[in-house]
Amino acid sequence: MHPHLNDMANHKSALKRIRQNEVRRLRNRYYHKTARTALKALRNEENKAAAVEQLPKVISLLDKLAKKNIIHKNKASNLKSKLTKHVNGLA
């Protein structure tokens, strides 16, 4: 159980809000961590064919995160740009 659940909330709605926020926080953390792992895997990929195959999946993942406001849309764009350049630069 998270420490926030022992907060001062007395209203039913506030307690529910605390529960919802906690669930969302954990879900967002999972999505964010999964995305970081995918980015790392793509950055470390040496094989161009494999990287070209992975790129659209990672871009799609970033777009979904930006849409859900887990990362900022400009950050998603910057990452997509960098990754595309990286993949195109592979021999």
Side-chain angles (χ1 to χ4, degrees), residues 1-47:
M1 193 171 278
H2 206 262
H4 295 302
L5 292 180
N6 301 329
D7 277 349
M8 306 282 277
N10 289 321
H11 291 276
K12 218 171 174 182
S13 60
L15 290 166
K16 180 176 178 179
R17 177 63 56 210
I18 289 168
R19 289 197 307 269
Q20 285 177 326
N21 288 342
E22 179 64 6
V23 167
R24 291 195 178 117
R25 185 182 73 85
L26 294 172
R27 188 181 297 138
N28 289 344
R29 192 171 70 172
Y30 169 76
Y31 288 146
H32 201 161
K33 185 67 179 152
T34 307
R36 282 203 299 260
T37 309
L39 289 170
K40 192 175 177 183
L42 182 55
R43 283 197 191 106
N44 293 335
E45 185 61 64
E46 301 286 318
N47 181 354

Side-chain angles (χ1 to χ4, degrees), residues 21-81:
N21 288 342
E22 179 64 6
V23 167
R24 291 195 178 117
R25 185 182 73 85
L26 294 172
R27 188 181 297 138
N28 289 344
R29 192 171 70 172
Y30 169 76
Y31 288 146
H32 201 161
K33 185 67 179 152
T34 307
R36 282 203 299 260
T37 309
L39 289 170
K40 192 175 177 183
L42 182 55
R43 283 197 191 106
N44 293 335
E45 185 61 64
E46 301 286 318
N47 181 354
K48 180 154 186 171
V52 167
E53 191 187 316
Q54 271 182 320
L55 185 64
K57 292 174 188 164
V58 174
I59 286 178
S60 166
L61 198 66
L62 289 169
D63 285 335
K64 281 177 193 162
L65 290 184
K67 188 179 178 188
K68 291 177 185 168
N69 274 329
I70 294 169
I71 60 174
H72 195 276
K73 67 180 201 298
N74 293 357
K75 181 184 172 87
S77 293
N78 287 336
L79 285 169
K80 291 191 301 191
S81 168

